[in-house]
């Protein structure tokens, strides 16, 4: 019987997971969020330090296991934000020393992929759509091979930035999904698939320009004074009864005729466009590698429209479609403990000085990992 405790801390989420023989006994977390604007790495790391000990206790209680039963500590070694990764590494080393347990360094992206196998998929193409990563992957000869990916922004970061332009806080994905449900009006956007890769920055610029037009359009037609009455010092005359026409007014009048969309329309059109791009590349990957299963993973996979589009494509191709439950899609430590246990059973563990020497790997790529456990 093997029980492994996992620690996740790569970005916004700090989590502790406990897994026993492939079964998740506890998966607790606390996420750093903002009302507006994106992640500030140092603030997120401070958040992680504050919640860590409490979450360790909570996970042990939930799983009903004691330290004596745990065989190893897995932690997210990378990729991620350095200050956040360091909190996880230090907590892992502290617990490893205190309880005399080996460390298991886990690649966060590979954990997002491996947890897909909890659904029962055997040898799938993986569409990994998270904050910083967007990749179409399949396992072959000891490595997770990347068949296609974003050439610029990760899909989640792209959606979060779009949400920020709309004045929504972080994470933006769930809020944008709700907005999109209120529209069926498709506004044309650039569709940028390049071979097996996609790009998102051009679409983001296009969306930003469209949002700026809406914002401009919402300004009052006439400049209404919001200050105390202006006085002409020489003639002691008030200008308050004057309607100021300015350039903004003229722009607004021109825009009024051009803008035929709402924020909801933009959210809807954004989702339809970028998800179609990902579905297209995934379908081509399935055809190329001759696999019959698609697993959707990463936080953006929580989006129900995205899931529906993937399901339809798979049905049309006669493939099986799998998606893990939501709390295993977004960042969580259940997936770290899950892969940690698989690696531990394959003999991958670090003890003594080797454990001391472990460091974070903020830029480690999925296809660098030697998958010796499969
Ligand atoms: P990475 O795994 O690449 O390091 P990450 O850890 O930040 O990135 P995840 O936690 O896997 O990413 O996913 C977070 C992302 O998922 C955020 O960008 C968030 O907006 C997005 N997301 C969550 N729910 C939804 C949803 N319903 N629709 C679209 N996007 C969503
Ligand atoms: Fe992630």
């Amino acid at each position: 019987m093997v029980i492994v405790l996992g620690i996740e801390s790569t970005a916004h989420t700090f989590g502790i997971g406990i897994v026993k023989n492939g079964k998740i006994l506890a998966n607790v977390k606390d996420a750093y969020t903002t009302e507006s604007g994106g992640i500030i790495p140092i603030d997120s790391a401070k958040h992680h330090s504050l919640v860590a000990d409490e979450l360790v206790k909570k996970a042990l209680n939930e799983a009903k296991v004691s330290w004596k039963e745990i065989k190893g500590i897995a932690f997210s070694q990378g990729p991620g934000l350095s200050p956040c990764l360091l909190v996880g590494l230090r907590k892992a080393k502290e617990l490893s020393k205190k309880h005399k347990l080996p460390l298991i360094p886990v690649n966060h992206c590979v954990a997002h992929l491996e947890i897909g196998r909890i659904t029962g998929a055997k040898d799938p193409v993986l569409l990994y759509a998270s904050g910083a990563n967007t990749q179409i992957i399949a396992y072959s000869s000891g490595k997770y091979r990347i068949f296609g990916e974003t050439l610029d922004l990760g899909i989640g970061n792209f959606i979060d930035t779009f949400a920020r332009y709309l004045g929504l806080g972080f994470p933006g994905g769930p809020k944008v999904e709700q907005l999109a449900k209120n529209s069926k009006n498709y506004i044309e956007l650039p569709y940028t698939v390049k071979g097996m890769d996609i790009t998102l920055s051009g679409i983001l610029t296009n969306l930003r320009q469209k949002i700026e037009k809406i914002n401009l359009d919402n300004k009052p037609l006439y400049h209404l004074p919001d200050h105390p009455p202006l006085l002409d010092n020489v003639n002691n005359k008030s200008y308050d009864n004057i309607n100021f026409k300015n350039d903004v007014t003229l722009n607004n009048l021109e825009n009024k005729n051009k803008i035929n969309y709402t924020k909801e329309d933009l959210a809807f059109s954004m989702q339809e466009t970028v998800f179609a791009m990902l579905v297209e590349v995934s379908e081509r990957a399935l055809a190329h590698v001759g696999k019959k299963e698609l697993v959707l993973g990463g936080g953006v996979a929580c989006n129900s429209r995205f899931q529906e589009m993937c399901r339809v494509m798979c049905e049309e191709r006669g493939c099986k479609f799998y998606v893990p439950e939501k709390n295993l899609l977004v960042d969580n430590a259940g997936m770290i403990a899950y892969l940690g246990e698989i690696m531990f059973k394959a003999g991958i563990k670090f003890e003594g000085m080797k454990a001391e020497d472990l460091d974070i790997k903020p830029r480690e790529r999925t296809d660098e990992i030697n998958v010796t456990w499969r």
Side-chain angles (χ1 to χ4, degrees):
M1 182 194 71
V2 174
I3 301 182
V4 168
L5 178 136
I7 301 176
E8 162 57 30
S9 76
T10 54
H12 39 77
T13 298
F14 189 90
I16 301 289
I18 298 177
V19 165
K20 178 182 176 182
N21 293 335
K23 195 162 170 275
I24 294 174
L25 302 181
N27 190 11
V28 299
K29 64 179 183 209
D30 197 291
Y32 160 88
T33 56
T34 67
E35 284 297 318
S36 64
I39 304 184
I40 300 164
I42 293 288
D43 287 352
S44 186
K46 277 186 199 152
H47 159 269
H48 295 353
S49 304
L50 287 175
V51 299
D53 289 333
E54 205 46 49
L55 286 173
V56 172
K57 266 193 230 156
K58 197 173 166 191
L60 291 168
N61 277 340
E62 234 168 71
K64 296 189 180 62
V65 298
S66 68
W67 277 109
K68 283 197 186 101
E69 297 169 273
I70 293 174
K71 294 282 183 289
I73 297 171
F75 68 99
S76 268
Q77 192 178 27
L81 305 169
S82 299
C84 302
L85 287 168
L86 281 172
V87 176
L89 175 79
R90 287 186 190 132
K91 187 50 67 183
K93 285 187 177 177
E94 177 197 315
L95 293 172
S96 144
K97 265 194 191 156
K98 190 168 166 194
H99 302 286
K100 300 195 174 44
L101 289 170
L103 288 177
I104 310 150
V106 166
N107 176 284
H108 173 90
C109 302
V110 173
H112 270 298
L113 304 180
E114 285 285 346
I115 196 67
R117 292 209 279 159
I118 210 169
T119 59
K122 298 275 175 301
D123 186 22
V125 164
L126 300 139
L127 173 48
Y128 170 35
S130 67
N133 288 285
T134 308
Q135 294 169 334
I136 293 90
I137 298 166
Y139 174 81
S140 172
S141 316
K143 290 250 164 99
Y144 278 111
R145 317 268 168 190
I146 299 172
F147 286 85
E149 65 183 319
T150 176
L151 298 178
D152 44 31
L153 303 166
I155 180 101
N157 291 354
F158 159 85
I159 295 176
D160 292 335
T161 311
F162 169 66
R164 203 160 73 221
Y165 293 157
L166 291 175
L168 306 170
F170 175 83
K175 294 169 191 162
V176 168
E177 180 176 11
Q178 287 314 313
L179 263 191
K181 282 186 179 151
N182 297 324
S183 168
K184 285 269 176 276
N185 183 23
Y186 184 78
I187 306 299
E188 197 164 331
L189 294 170
Y191 184 94
T192 44
V193 173
K194 298 176 191 291
M196 291 295 286
D197 298 320
I198 66 160
T199 63
L200 295 168
S201 54
I203 306 176
L204 189 59
T205 305
N206 189 294
L207 286 164
R208 196 191 68 216
Q209 287 164 348
K210 288 191 163 66
I211 293 167
E212 278 167 1
K213 278 191 188 160
I214 295 180
N215 290 342
L216 197 59
D217 199 46
N218 285 338
K219 287 212 176 122
L221 276 182
Y222 295 98
H223 179 87
L224 301 172
D226 54 1
H227 46 71
L230 277 173
L231 286 176
D232 176 331
N233 284 337
V234 182
N235 299 311
N236 203 18
K237 237 171 32 186
S238 168
Y239 286 96
D240 250 11
N241 56 348
I242 298 172
N243 281 329
F244 294 92
K245 274 196 168 189
N246 54 23
D247 287 343
V248 172
T249 313
L250 293 177
N251 281 339
N252 284 344
L253 289 173
E254 281 168 21
N255 282 332
K256 270 256 176 287
N257 302 326
K258 281 190 218 148
I259 299 177
N260 56 352
Y261 52 80
T262 61
K263 290 177 177 181
E264 286 79 1
D265 296 339
L266 293 184
F268 169 75
S269 309
M270 180 281 288
Q271 288 197 167
E272 294 302 304
T273 307
V274 300
F275 294 159
M277 286 160 49
L278 289 175
V279 169
E280 180 194 326
V281 185
S282 305
E283 182 169 21
R284 212 171 309 140
L286 283 165
H288 278 321
V289 296
K291 300 201 193 235
K292 286 278 177 198
E293 298 170 322
L294 180 71
V295 170
L296 191 54
V300 181
C302 293
N303 189 292
S304 45
R305 177 63 184 141
F306 191 22
Q307 292 185 8
E308 185 190 351
M309 288 166 82
C310 291
R311 189 170 291 118
V312 168
M313 180 272 281
C314 284
E315 272 166 21
E316 284 172 0
R317 289 194 59 81
C319 294
K320 283 194 178 159
F321 174 62
Y322 299 90
V323 58
E325 58 175 275
K326 273 192 183 180
N327 57 8
L328 295 176
L329 288 173
V330 287
D331 283 359
N332 69 92
M335 67 182 189
I336 304 300
Y338 181 85
L339 176 53
E341 193 204 1
I342 294 173
M343 291 169 66
F344 180 90
K345 283 180 170 166
I348 305 166
K349 55 184 177 187
F350 291 73
E351 287 165 298
M353 278 313 288
K354 281 193 177 161
E356 286 277 319
D357 288 346
L358 285 171
D359 202 356
I360 56 169
K361 294 187 175 170
R363 293 188 176 278
E364 188 174 58
R365 271 178 64 90
T366 310
D367 49 4
E368 285 172 30
I369 306 297
N370 286 319
V371 184
T372 51
W373 57 85
R374 277 187 72 148

